Amino acid sequence: MAGNGEEDLYGEELRPGALVGDWVVERIQVLGPVSALYRARHAHSGVPAALKVLHSQVATAAVALRRFRREAATLQRLRHPHIVTVLGYGELSDGRPFIAMEWLEGQDLAAELAARGPLSPREVLLVMEQVGAALRVAHAAGVVHRDLKAQNVVRLAQGRGGPAVKLVDFGVAKGLVPGAPGSSSLTHTGVVLGTPLSMAPEQIRGQVPDARTDLYAVGVLLFQLLTGLPPFRGTTRHEVEQQHLHAPAPRPGEHAPVSAALDAVVLKCLRKEREERYPNVDALLDELRGAVLGGAAPVEAPRALGLYVEGRTPGEPDASAMEELDAGLERAHALALEAGLEVRVMGGACLLALASLPDDVLRERELRARVLDVGLALTRGDAPPGLSVTVHVDRLVTRDEAHGWGDAAASAWDDAGGEGGLLHLPSWIQDGGDGALIVTGAALRGLEADFVASPVSGAPDRWRLTARR
Protein backbone atom coordinates (compact mmCIF):
# COMPACT_ATOMS: atom_id res chain seq x y z
CA MET A 1 0.00 0.00 0.00
CA ALA A 2 1.20 3.52 -0.79
CA GLY A 3 0.34 5.15 2.50
CA ASN A 4 -2.10 5.49 5.36
CA GLY A 5 -4.71 7.27 3.23
CA GLU A 6 -4.81 4.43 0.74
CA GLU A 7 -4.77 1.85 3.51
CA ASP A 8 -7.80 3.55 5.01
CA LEU A 9 -9.66 3.21 1.71
CA TYR A 10 -8.48 -0.24 0.69
CA GLY A 11 -8.09 -2.11 3.96
CA GLU A 12 -9.93 -5.33 4.73
CA GLU A 13 -13.09 -3.23 4.83
CA LEU A 14 -13.34 -0.87 1.88
CA ARG A 15 -14.11 2.73 2.79
CA PRO A 16 -16.33 5.29 1.03
CA GLY A 17 -14.46 6.62 -1.99
CA ALA A 18 -12.56 3.41 -2.77
CA LEU A 19 -12.50 2.70 -6.52
CA VAL A 20 -13.36 -0.90 -7.37
CA GLY A 21 -13.19 -1.39 -11.11
CA ASP A 22 -15.55 1.25 -12.50
CA TRP A 23 -17.46 1.63 -9.24
CA VAL A 24 -16.93 3.95 -6.27
CA VAL A 25 -17.79 2.54 -2.83
CA GLU A 26 -20.43 4.48 -0.88
CA ARG A 27 -20.94 2.30 2.19
CA ILE A 28 -20.75 -1.23 3.49
CA GLN A 29 -24.12 -2.96 3.47
CA VAL A 30 -23.51 -6.49 4.80
CA LEU A 31 -20.37 -7.98 6.34
CA GLY A 32 -20.47 -11.76 5.98
CA PRO A 33 -18.04 -14.53 6.92
CA VAL A 34 -16.87 -15.08 3.33
CA SER A 35 -17.51 -11.76 1.60
CA ALA A 36 -18.68 -8.20 2.13
CA LEU A 37 -21.46 -6.45 0.23
CA TYR A 38 -21.10 -2.73 -0.50
CA ARG A 39 -23.33 -0.13 -2.06
CA ALA A 40 -21.47 1.70 -4.81
CA ARG A 41 -22.05 3.92 -7.84
CA HIS A 42 -20.59 3.81 -11.33
CA ALA A 43 -17.82 6.38 -11.56
CA HIS A 44 -19.22 7.93 -14.76
CA SER A 45 -22.94 7.18 -15.02
CA GLY A 46 -23.75 7.28 -11.31
CA VAL A 47 -25.83 4.09 -11.60
CA PRO A 48 -25.98 2.33 -8.20
CA ALA A 49 -24.52 -1.14 -7.85
CA ALA A 50 -24.01 -3.85 -5.25
CA LEU A 51 -20.36 -4.87 -4.91
CA LYS A 52 -19.63 -8.31 -3.51
CA VAL A 53 -15.96 -8.53 -2.45
CA LEU A 54 -14.33 -11.72 -1.20
CA HIS A 55 -12.43 -11.38 2.10
CA SER A 56 -8.64 -11.51 1.75
CA GLN A 57 -8.23 -14.53 4.04
CA VAL A 58 -10.79 -16.43 1.95
CA ALA A 59 -9.43 -15.26 -1.41
CA THR A 60 -6.22 -17.21 -0.78
CA ALA A 61 -8.20 -20.48 -0.76
CA ALA A 62 -8.30 -21.84 -4.29
CA VAL A 63 -11.71 -23.50 -3.88
CA ALA A 64 -13.38 -20.35 -2.52
CA LEU A 65 -11.80 -18.23 -5.26
CA ARG A 66 -13.00 -20.57 -7.99
CA ARG A 67 -16.49 -20.70 -6.51
CA PHE A 68 -16.65 -16.91 -6.36
CA ARG A 69 -15.55 -16.55 -9.99
CA ARG A 70 -18.02 -19.25 -10.96
CA GLU A 71 -20.87 -17.26 -9.42
CA ALA A 72 -20.01 -14.30 -11.67
CA ALA A 73 -19.85 -16.54 -14.76
CA THR A 74 -23.13 -18.24 -13.84
CA LEU A 75 -25.00 -14.98 -13.30
CA GLN A 76 -23.72 -13.49 -16.54
CA ARG A 77 -25.09 -16.53 -18.30
CA LEU A 78 -28.53 -16.31 -16.72
CA ARG A 79 -30.06 -13.12 -18.11
CA HIS A 80 -33.65 -12.85 -16.88
CA PRO A 81 -35.89 -10.13 -15.37
CA HIS A 82 -36.22 -12.14 -12.13
CA ILE A 83 -32.50 -12.92 -11.72
CA VAL A 84 -30.11 -10.26 -10.42
CA THR A 85 -28.01 -8.80 -13.24
CA VAL A 86 -24.19 -8.84 -13.18
CA LEU A 87 -22.69 -5.53 -14.33
CA GLY A 88 -19.06 -6.65 -14.23
CA TYR A 89 -16.40 -8.41 -12.21
CA GLY A 90 -12.65 -8.35 -11.61
CA GLU A 91 -10.01 -8.19 -8.91
CA LEU A 92 -8.62 -5.56 -6.57
CA SER A 93 -4.89 -4.79 -6.66
CA ASP A 94 -4.35 -7.17 -3.72
CA GLY A 95 -6.04 -10.05 -5.59
CA ARG A 96 -9.44 -9.96 -3.89
CA PRO A 97 -12.13 -10.68 -6.50
CA PHE A 98 -15.34 -8.69 -6.76
CA ILE A 99 -18.67 -8.90 -8.56
CA ALA A 100 -20.67 -5.77 -9.43
CA MET A 101 -24.42 -6.42 -9.60
CA GLU A 102 -27.47 -4.25 -10.05
CA TRP A 103 -28.57 -2.57 -6.84
CA LEU A 104 -31.94 -3.89 -5.66
CA GLU A 105 -34.07 -1.52 -3.60
CA GLY A 106 -36.17 -3.70 -1.36
CA GLN A 107 -35.84 -6.45 1.19
CA ASP A 108 -35.50 -10.19 1.10
CA LEU A 109 -38.51 -12.37 1.82
CA ALA A 110 -37.11 -13.48 5.18
CA ALA A 111 -37.08 -9.85 6.35
CA GLU A 112 -40.55 -9.30 4.94
CA LEU A 113 -41.92 -12.35 6.74
CA ALA A 114 -40.36 -11.14 9.99
CA ALA A 115 -41.90 -7.70 9.54
CA ARG A 116 -45.41 -8.59 8.38
CA GLY A 117 -46.00 -12.32 8.85
CA PRO A 118 -47.24 -14.88 6.29
CA LEU A 119 -48.40 -13.97 2.79
CA SER A 120 -51.82 -14.76 1.41
CA PRO A 121 -52.05 -17.69 -1.04
CA ARG A 122 -52.54 -15.30 -3.97
CA GLU A 123 -49.49 -13.27 -2.93
CA VAL A 124 -47.52 -16.50 -2.65
CA LEU A 125 -48.60 -17.46 -6.17
CA LEU A 126 -47.47 -14.09 -7.57
CA VAL A 127 -44.07 -14.52 -5.93
CA MET A 128 -43.66 -18.12 -7.00
CA GLU A 129 -44.59 -17.39 -10.62
CA GLN A 130 -41.55 -15.11 -10.75
CA VAL A 131 -39.24 -17.39 -8.78
CA GLY A 132 -40.38 -20.25 -10.99
CA ALA A 133 -39.65 -18.24 -14.15
CA ALA A 134 -36.12 -17.60 -12.88
CA LEU A 135 -35.59 -21.28 -12.03
CA ARG A 136 -36.97 -22.32 -15.42
CA VAL A 137 -34.26 -20.28 -17.15
CA ALA A 138 -31.55 -21.56 -14.82
CA HIS A 139 -32.56 -25.20 -15.23
CA ALA A 140 -32.84 -24.83 -19.01
CA ALA A 141 -29.26 -23.50 -18.96
CA GLY A 142 -28.16 -26.51 -16.92
CA VAL A 143 -27.76 -24.69 -13.59
CA VAL A 144 -29.15 -25.76 -10.20
CA HIS A 145 -29.25 -22.95 -7.62
CA ARG A 146 -28.85 -25.27 -4.58
CA ASP A 147 -29.42 -22.48 -2.04
CA LEU A 148 -32.90 -21.22 -2.79
CA LYS A 149 -34.30 -19.72 0.40
CA ALA A 150 -36.25 -16.71 1.62
CA GLN A 151 -33.03 -14.72 2.16
CA ASN A 152 -32.08 -15.19 -1.50
CA VAL A 153 -35.32 -13.84 -2.95
CA VAL A 154 -35.48 -10.03 -2.90
CA ARG A 155 -38.81 -8.27 -3.18
CA LEU A 156 -38.30 -4.95 -4.93
CA ALA A 157 -39.57 -1.80 -3.23
CA GLN A 158 -41.18 -0.57 -6.45
CA GLY A 159 -42.82 -3.77 -7.58
CA ARG A 160 -45.21 -3.18 -10.48
CA GLY A 161 -48.28 -5.29 -11.01
CA GLY A 162 -47.81 -7.19 -7.77
CA PRO A 163 -44.78 -8.40 -5.84
CA ALA A 164 -41.76 -8.04 -8.13
CA VAL A 165 -38.95 -10.32 -6.94
CA LYS A 166 -35.45 -11.25 -8.03
CA LEU A 167 -33.44 -14.37 -7.28
CA VAL A 168 -29.93 -13.67 -5.98
CA ASP A 169 -26.82 -15.47 -4.70
CA PHE A 170 -25.82 -18.26 -7.06
CA GLY A 171 -22.64 -18.78 -5.01
CA VAL A 172 -23.18 -22.52 -4.61
CA ALA A 173 -24.97 -23.11 -7.93
CA LYS A 174 -23.93 -26.23 -9.79
CA GLY A 175 -23.98 -26.84 -13.51
CA LEU A 176 -25.78 -29.86 -14.87
CA VAL A 177 -23.91 -29.69 -18.17
CA PRO A 178 -20.20 -30.68 -18.11
CA GLY A 179 -18.01 -27.72 -18.90
CA ALA A 180 -20.71 -25.17 -18.08
CA PRO A 181 -20.09 -22.54 -15.38
CA GLY A 182 -20.88 -24.28 -12.10
CA SER A 183 -19.94 -27.76 -13.21
CA SER A 184 -16.42 -27.80 -11.82
CA SER A 185 -15.18 -30.51 -9.50
CA LEU A 186 -15.26 -28.25 -6.46
CA THR A 187 -18.93 -29.22 -6.05
CA HIS A 188 -18.48 -32.90 -6.75
CA THR A 189 -20.43 -35.69 -5.13
CA GLY A 190 -19.80 -35.87 -1.40
CA VAL A 191 -19.52 -32.11 -0.80
CA VAL A 192 -22.43 -30.65 1.17
CA LEU A 193 -23.28 -27.07 0.19
CA GLY A 194 -26.40 -25.07 0.97
CA THR A 195 -28.44 -23.87 3.93
CA PRO A 196 -29.72 -26.53 6.40
CA LEU A 197 -33.23 -25.04 6.63
CA SER A 198 -33.76 -25.55 2.89
CA MET A 199 -31.53 -28.46 1.90
CA ALA A 200 -32.96 -31.45 0.08
CA PRO A 201 -32.13 -34.93 1.45
CA GLU A 202 -29.85 -35.68 -1.52
CA GLN A 203 -27.84 -32.52 -0.76
CA ILE A 204 -27.36 -33.58 2.82
CA ARG A 205 -26.16 -36.99 1.62
CA GLY A 206 -23.71 -35.30 -0.74
CA GLN A 207 -25.36 -36.72 -3.85
CA VAL A 208 -25.38 -35.02 -7.24
CA PRO A 209 -28.18 -32.41 -7.36
CA ASP A 210 -30.61 -31.83 -10.20
CA ALA A 211 -33.54 -29.51 -10.90
CA ARG A 212 -35.73 -31.40 -8.44
CA THR A 213 -33.27 -30.43 -5.68
CA ASP A 214 -34.33 -26.82 -6.19
CA LEU A 215 -37.99 -27.88 -6.17
CA TYR A 216 -37.52 -29.28 -2.65
CA ALA A 217 -36.27 -25.82 -1.64
CA VAL A 218 -39.31 -24.33 -3.36
CA GLY A 219 -41.43 -26.48 -1.07
CA VAL A 220 -39.58 -25.11 1.96
CA LEU A 221 -40.05 -21.57 0.66
CA LEU A 222 -43.77 -22.16 0.02
CA PHE A 223 -44.18 -23.46 3.56
CA GLN A 224 -42.43 -20.38 4.98
CA LEU A 225 -44.38 -17.89 2.89
CA LEU A 226 -47.70 -19.48 3.86
CA THR A 227 -47.00 -19.97 7.56
CA GLY A 228 -44.12 -17.67 8.48
CA LEU A 229 -42.17 -20.71 9.69
CA PRO A 230 -39.77 -23.23 8.12
CA PRO A 231 -41.11 -26.81 8.00
CA PHE A 232 -38.19 -28.20 10.03
CA ARG A 233 -36.56 -26.42 12.95
CA GLY A 234 -33.87 -27.38 15.44
CA THR A 235 -31.16 -26.04 17.70
CA THR A 236 -28.30 -27.52 15.66
CA ARG A 237 -27.52 -28.09 11.99
CA HIS A 238 -27.46 -31.84 12.60
CA GLU A 239 -30.93 -31.81 14.14
CA VAL A 240 -32.41 -29.95 11.17
CA GLU A 241 -30.65 -32.20 8.66
CA GLN A 242 -31.97 -35.33 10.35
CA GLN A 243 -35.51 -34.04 10.05
CA HIS A 244 -35.03 -33.34 6.33
CA LEU A 245 -33.75 -36.89 5.95
CA HIS A 246 -36.26 -38.80 8.08
CA ALA A 247 -39.12 -36.76 9.61
CA PRO A 248 -42.49 -36.58 7.81
CA ALA A 249 -43.04 -33.11 6.38
CA PRO A 250 -45.72 -31.14 8.27
CA ARG A 251 -48.67 -29.64 6.44
CA PRO A 252 -48.81 -25.82 6.12
CA GLY A 253 -52.47 -26.15 7.12
CA GLU A 254 -51.35 -27.13 10.63
CA HIS A 255 -50.06 -23.58 11.14
CA ALA A 256 -52.15 -21.36 8.83
CA PRO A 257 -55.55 -21.30 7.05
CA VAL A 258 -54.35 -23.18 3.97
CA SER A 259 -56.48 -25.39 1.71
CA ALA A 260 -55.94 -29.12 1.41
CA ALA A 261 -55.03 -28.64 -2.26
CA LEU A 262 -52.26 -26.21 -1.31
CA ASP A 263 -51.07 -28.57 1.43
CA ALA A 264 -50.76 -31.30 -1.20
CA VAL A 265 -48.57 -29.13 -3.47
CA VAL A 266 -46.17 -28.30 -0.65
CA LEU A 267 -45.97 -31.89 0.58
CA LYS A 268 -45.20 -33.18 -2.91
CA CYS A 269 -42.30 -30.72 -3.16
CA LEU A 270 -41.03 -31.99 0.20
CA ARG A 271 -40.96 -35.69 -0.69
CA LYS A 272 -37.74 -37.35 0.53
CA GLU A 273 -37.11 -39.11 -2.77
CA ARG A 274 -36.66 -36.71 -5.65
CA GLU A 275 -38.39 -39.11 -8.05
CA GLU A 276 -41.61 -38.52 -6.10
CA ARG A 277 -41.46 -34.72 -6.47
CA TYR A 278 -42.63 -32.67 -9.44
CA PRO A 279 -40.52 -33.41 -12.53
CA ASN A 280 -39.96 -29.73 -13.30
CA VAL A 281 -40.94 -26.22 -12.26
CA ASP A 282 -43.75 -25.96 -14.83
CA ALA A 283 -45.53 -29.02 -13.44
CA LEU A 284 -45.24 -27.56 -9.94
CA LEU A 285 -46.58 -24.15 -11.00
CA ASP A 286 -49.51 -25.74 -12.82
CA GLU A 287 -50.69 -27.45 -9.64
CA LEU A 288 -49.92 -24.41 -7.50
CA ARG A 289 -52.13 -22.24 -9.71
CA GLY A 290 -54.92 -24.79 -9.50
CA ALA A 291 -54.63 -25.01 -5.72
CA VAL A 292 -54.67 -21.22 -5.25
CA LEU A 293 -57.13 -20.22 -7.97
CA GLY A 294 -59.69 -22.97 -7.58
CA GLY A 295 -58.51 -26.26 -8.94
CA ALA A 296 -60.06 -27.34 -12.22
CA ALA A 297 -62.57 -24.50 -12.31
CA PRO A 298 -62.04 -22.11 -15.23
CA VAL A 299 -59.75 -19.27 -14.24
CA GLU A 300 -60.28 -15.85 -15.81
CA ALA A 301 -57.13 -14.90 -17.70
CA PRO A 302 -55.45 -11.83 -16.19
CA ARG A 303 -55.45 -8.55 -18.05
CA ALA A 304 -52.10 -7.35 -19.24
CA LEU A 305 -50.43 -4.69 -21.32
CA GLY A 306 -48.50 -5.53 -24.46
CA LEU A 307 -45.79 -3.47 -26.16
CA TYR A 308 -44.90 -4.60 -29.68
CA VAL A 309 -41.96 -3.02 -31.50
CA GLU A 310 -41.16 -3.86 -35.11
CA GLY A 311 -38.21 -2.60 -37.12
CA ARG A 312 -38.46 -1.93 -40.82
CA THR A 313 -35.82 -0.89 -43.35
CA PRO A 314 -36.91 0.71 -46.65
CA GLY A 315 -35.80 -1.18 -49.74
CA GLU A 316 -32.78 -3.46 -49.61
CA PRO A 317 -31.22 -2.99 -46.14
CA ASP A 318 -27.55 -2.06 -46.01
CA ALA A 319 -25.15 -2.61 -43.11
CA SER A 320 -25.73 0.87 -41.69
CA ALA A 321 -29.52 0.46 -41.72
CA MET A 322 -29.26 -2.93 -40.03
CA GLU A 323 -27.02 -1.50 -37.32
CA GLU A 324 -29.53 1.28 -36.68
CA LEU A 325 -32.33 -1.27 -36.50
CA ASP A 326 -30.40 -3.43 -34.02
CA ALA A 327 -29.59 -0.39 -31.90
CA GLY A 328 -33.24 0.64 -31.90
CA LEU A 329 -34.41 -2.80 -30.77
CA GLU A 330 -31.75 -2.93 -28.05
CA ARG A 331 -32.96 0.45 -26.79
CA ALA A 332 -36.54 -0.80 -26.88
CA HIS A 333 -35.46 -3.82 -24.83
CA ALA A 334 -33.77 -1.63 -22.20
CA LEU A 335 -36.67 0.85 -21.97
CA ALA A 336 -39.23 -1.96 -21.70
CA LEU A 337 -37.39 -3.52 -18.75
CA GLU A 338 -36.97 -0.11 -17.14
CA ALA A 339 -40.73 0.48 -17.41
CA GLY A 340 -41.49 -2.78 -15.61
CA LEU A 341 -42.31 -5.04 -18.56
CA GLU A 342 -41.00 -8.52 -19.20
CA VAL A 343 -39.59 -9.11 -22.67
CA ARG A 344 -41.13 -12.33 -23.95
CA VAL A 345 -39.94 -12.28 -27.56
CA MET A 346 -36.79 -10.69 -28.97
CA GLY A 347 -36.46 -11.47 -32.68
CA GLY A 348 -34.23 -10.17 -35.41
CA ALA A 349 -36.68 -7.39 -36.25
CA CYS A 350 -39.29 -7.36 -33.48
CA LEU A 351 -39.84 -7.30 -29.73
CA LEU A 352 -42.84 -8.24 -27.60
CA ALA A 353 -42.95 -7.17 -23.94
CA LEU A 354 -45.77 -7.77 -21.45
CA ALA A 355 -46.79 -6.75 -17.94
CA SER A 356 -49.75 -7.89 -15.87
CA LEU A 357 -51.95 -4.96 -14.88
CA PRO A 358 -52.28 -4.18 -11.17
CA ASP A 359 -55.74 -4.32 -9.61
CA ASP A 360 -55.21 -0.85 -8.14
CA VAL A 361 -56.63 1.72 -10.58
CA LEU A 362 -53.98 4.38 -9.99
CA ARG A 363 -51.07 1.97 -10.34
CA GLU A 364 -52.66 0.47 -13.44
CA ARG A 365 -52.94 3.91 -15.02
CA GLU A 366 -49.36 4.77 -14.05
CA LEU A 367 -48.09 1.61 -15.74
CA ARG A 368 -49.97 2.37 -18.96
CA ALA A 369 -48.70 5.96 -19.00
CA ARG A 370 -45.14 4.77 -18.41
CA VAL A 371 -45.33 2.37 -21.36
CA LEU A 372 -46.84 5.02 -23.62
CA ASP A 373 -43.88 7.23 -22.72
CA VAL A 374 -41.61 4.38 -23.82
CA GLY A 375 -43.45 4.26 -27.15
CA LEU A 376 -42.99 8.00 -27.63
CA ALA A 377 -39.28 7.74 -26.82
CA LEU A 378 -38.90 5.06 -29.50
CA THR A 379 -40.77 6.96 -32.21
CA ARG A 380 -39.98 10.65 -31.60
CA GLY A 381 -38.14 12.71 -34.19
CA ASP A 382 -34.61 12.14 -32.88
CA ALA A 383 -35.10 8.37 -32.52
CA PRO A 384 -33.55 6.00 -35.09
CA PRO A 385 -35.93 5.62 -38.08
CA GLY A 386 -37.74 2.43 -38.90
CA LEU A 387 -39.40 1.48 -35.59
CA SER A 388 -43.16 1.00 -35.44
CA VAL A 389 -44.73 0.61 -31.98
CA THR A 390 -48.16 -0.69 -30.93
CA VAL A 391 -49.50 -0.74 -27.34
CA HIS A 392 -52.57 -2.73 -26.35
CA VAL A 393 -54.39 -3.92 -23.22
CA ASP A 394 -56.21 -7.26 -23.28
CA ARG A 395 -56.42 -10.56 -21.45
CA LEU A 396 -53.63 -13.12 -21.41
CA VAL A 397 -55.48 -15.66 -23.45
CA THR A 398 -53.99 -18.93 -22.28
CA ARG A 399 -51.89 -20.23 -19.47
CA ASP A 400 -49.09 -20.74 -21.99
CA GLU A 401 -49.22 -17.04 -22.79
CA ALA A 402 -49.14 -16.08 -19.15
CA HIS A 403 -45.95 -18.04 -18.53
CA GLY A 404 -44.08 -18.32 -21.80
CA TRP A 405 -44.73 -17.19 -25.36
CA GLY A 406 -43.53 -18.98 -28.44
CA ASP A 407 -44.38 -20.09 -31.95
CA ALA A 408 -45.76 -23.42 -30.73
CA ALA A 409 -48.19 -21.70 -28.37
CA ALA A 410 -49.27 -19.25 -31.06
CA SER A 411 -49.79 -22.07 -33.55
CA ALA A 412 -51.86 -24.07 -31.08
CA TRP A 413 -54.03 -21.03 -30.38
CA ASP A 414 -54.53 -20.32 -34.09
CA ASP A 415 -55.33 -23.96 -34.83
CA ALA A 416 -58.00 -23.83 -32.16
CA GLY A 417 -59.61 -20.90 -33.95
CA GLY A 418 -58.89 -18.46 -31.13
CA GLU A 419 -59.03 -14.75 -31.75
CA GLY A 420 -58.22 -11.73 -29.64
CA GLY A 421 -56.05 -11.37 -26.60
CA LEU A 422 -52.40 -10.45 -26.44
CA LEU A 423 -51.28 -13.82 -27.76
CA HIS A 424 -53.02 -13.35 -31.08
CA LEU A 425 -50.87 -10.53 -32.50
CA PRO A 426 -52.81 -10.02 -35.76
CA SER A 427 -55.86 -8.97 -33.74
CA TRP A 428 -54.14 -5.86 -32.36
CA ILE A 429 -50.87 -5.09 -34.18
CA GLN A 430 -51.46 -2.04 -36.34
CA ASP A 431 -49.32 -1.15 -39.33
CA GLY A 432 -49.13 2.60 -38.89
CA GLY A 433 -45.94 3.13 -40.88
CA ASP A 434 -42.39 3.71 -39.79
CA GLY A 435 -41.89 5.89 -36.74
CA ALA A 436 -45.50 5.62 -35.57
CA LEU A 437 -46.85 4.93 -32.10
CA ILE A 438 -50.30 3.34 -32.36
CA VAL A 439 -52.33 2.59 -29.23
CA THR A 440 -55.68 0.91 -28.79
CA GLY A 441 -58.53 2.49 -26.92
CA ALA A 442 -58.03 0.05 -24.04
CA ALA A 443 -54.42 1.22 -23.64
CA LEU A 444 -55.29 4.93 -23.86
CA ARG A 445 -58.49 4.94 -21.78
CA GLY A 446 -58.36 7.56 -19.03
CA LEU A 447 -55.11 9.06 -20.34
CA GLU A 448 -56.54 11.11 -23.21
CA ALA A 449 -55.83 14.38 -21.37
CA ASP A 450 -52.16 13.47 -20.94
CA PHE A 451 -51.24 12.66 -24.54
CA VAL A 452 -51.69 14.22 -27.97
CA ALA A 453 -53.65 11.59 -29.90
CA SER A 454 -55.49 11.47 -33.20
CA PRO A 455 -57.69 8.66 -34.57
CA VAL A 456 -56.16 6.35 -37.17
CA SER A 457 -58.13 6.54 -40.41
CA GLY A 458 -59.82 3.27 -41.30
CA ALA A 459 -58.83 1.60 -38.03
CA PRO A 460 -61.57 1.72 -35.39
CA ASP A 461 -60.43 2.28 -31.81
CA ARG A 462 -56.83 2.97 -32.87
CA TRP A 463 -55.02 6.17 -32.00
CA ARG A 464 -51.76 7.69 -33.17
CA LEU A 465 -49.81 9.29 -30.27
CA THR A 466 -47.32 12.03 -31.06
CA ALA A 467 -46.45 13.78 -27.78
CA ARG A 468 -47.11 14.33 -24.08
CA ARG A 469 -49.33 17.30 -23.22
Side-chain angles (χ1 to χ4, degrees):
M1 295 292 181
N4 290 335
E6 188 171 340
E7 288 176 4
D8 287 342
L9 285 178
Y10 297 96
E12 182 61 31
E13 181 180 320
L14 300 177
R15 300 298 180 184
L19 185 64
V20 179
D22 293 328
W23 291 271
V24 179
V25 171
E26 290 188 335
R27 67 173 186 266
I28 188 166
Q29 192 74 13
V30 179
L31 185 62
V34 174
S35 61
L37 186 70
Y38 299 87
R39 180 184 167 94
R41 287 194 177 274
H42 194 275
H44 303 298
S45 68
V47 173
L51 289 178
K52 188 174 182 180
V53 182
L54 202 62
H55 293 324
S56 56
Q57 68 271 23
V58 180
T60 57
V63 170
L65 186 59
R66 286 160 58 199
R67 186 174 298 138
F68 193 87
R69 288 171 176 164
R70 186 189 60 200
E71 178 180 5
T74 299
L75 282 171
Q76 280 209 319
R77 225 173 128 220
L78 302 178
R79 295 282 182 172
H80 190 270
H82 297 302
I83 298 177
V84 66
T85 301
V86 166
L87 305 176
Y89 60 97
E91 293 184 0
L92 298 176
S93 59
D94 61 5
R96 282 181 288 171
F98 72 86
I99 304 173
M101 298 169 282
E102 63 176 320
W103 180 261
L104 302 178
E105 288 290 351
Q107 64 181 355
D108 63 56
L109 292 183
E112 179 157 346
L113 288 172
R116 57 157 284 187
L119 279 60
S120 72
R122 283 184 177 266
E123 285 180 301
V124 170
L125 177 60
L126 285 172
V127 168
M128 295 312 303
E129 292 280 16
Q130 297 169 69
V131 171
L135 287 177
R136 184 187 301 116
V137 168
H139 294 167
V143 175
V144 184
H145 190 285
R146 297 215 301 175
D147 199 22
L148 176 63
K149 57 185 178 181
Q151 290 88 340
N152 284 340
V153 181
V154 175
R155 181 164 174 172
L156 305 184
Q158 298 300 320
R160 303 180 179 106
V165 302
K166 291 216 175 194
L167 188 56
V168 303
D169 201 348
F170 280 73
V172 298
K174 179 176 177 62
L176 297 174
V177 180
S183 62
S184 67
S185 59
L186 62 100
T187 54
H188 58 73
T189 302
V191 176
V192 177
L193 292 173
T195 302
L197 284 176
S198 303
M199 286 173 65
E202 62 268 21
Q203 279 179 282
I204 297 170
R205 298 188 188 102
Q207 297 170 342
V208 177
D210 62 20
R212 294 166 297 180
T213 303
D214 280 344
L215 299 189
Y216 185 93
V218 168
V220 174
L221 180 59
L222 280 170
F223 193 102
Q224 286 183 272
L225 295 179
L226 291 166
T227 69
L229 302 167
F232 299 118
R233 301 177 295 282
T235 57
T236 67
R237 179 187 183 108
H238 177 74
E239 186 178 342
V240 174
E241 288 179 348
Q242 288 302 304
Q243 292 180 69
H244 280 296
L245 288 170
H246 306 297
R251 293 184 299 105
E254 297 172 13
H255 304 275
V258 172
S259 69
L262 200 45
D263 274 344
V265 172
V266 176
L267 292 178
K268 187 167 183 176
C269 290
L270 295 177
R271 297 278 178 86
K272 306 299 183 187
E273 300 300 326
R274 66 179 102 187
E275 293 79 12
E276 298 178 0
R277 299 173 205 151
Y278 293 101
N280 52 55
V281 69
D282 287 321
L284 188 162
L285 288 176
D286 276 347
E287 291 208 10
L288 181 61
R289 291 180 203 116
V292 172
L293 300 177
V299 177
E300 182 181 352
R303 292 175 69 246
L305 180 148
L307 171 76
Y308 182 78
V309 182
E310 184 175 352
R312 303 186 180 97
T313 55
E316 189 68 25
D318 55 22
S320 175
M322 293 303 296
E323 286 182 4
E324 283 191 343
L325 174 60
D326 288 343
L329 288 173
E330 286 294 335
R331 183 164 183 253
H333 184 279
L335 290 176
L337 294 181
E338 196 175 298
L341 281 73
E342 181 175 351
V343 175
R344 298 292 183 86
V345 175
M346 183 73 173
C350 68
L351 174 148
L352 175 66
L354 304 175
S356 295
L357 290 176
D359 293 331
D360 182 88
V361 174
L362 292 178
R363 291 176 60 211
E364 189 254 12
R365 184 175 295 182
E366 288 173 359
L367 173 60
R368 287 190 287 118
R370 195 160 54 241
V371 174
L372 295 184
D373 283 334
V374 168
L376 288 174
L378 294 172
T379 55
R380 65 190 178 194
D382 59 346
L387 290 185
S388 178
V389 180
T390 309
V391 180
H392 181 44
V393 167
D394 207 335
R395 66 195 186 281
L396 288 172
V397 184
T398 68
R399 191 160 54 201
D400 288 327
E401 164 58 7
H403 307 286
W405 192 95
D407 291 339
S411 176
W413 176 253
D414 290 339
D415 290 344
E419 292 186 4
L422 289 177
L423 178 60
H424 191 249
L425 295 178
S427 70
W428 61 274
I429 298 303
Q430 182 69 36
D431 185 1
D434 292 347
L437 168 58
I438 306 298
V439 303
T440 63
L444 184 60
R445 189 165 296 119
L447 298 172
E448 293 87 350
D450 299 323
F451 294 89
V452 177
S454 58
V456 177
S457 177
D461 203 33
R462 297 292 190 275
W463 303 83
R464 185 188 303 269
L465 261 62
T466 54
R468 265 275 195 176
R469 293 190 188 277

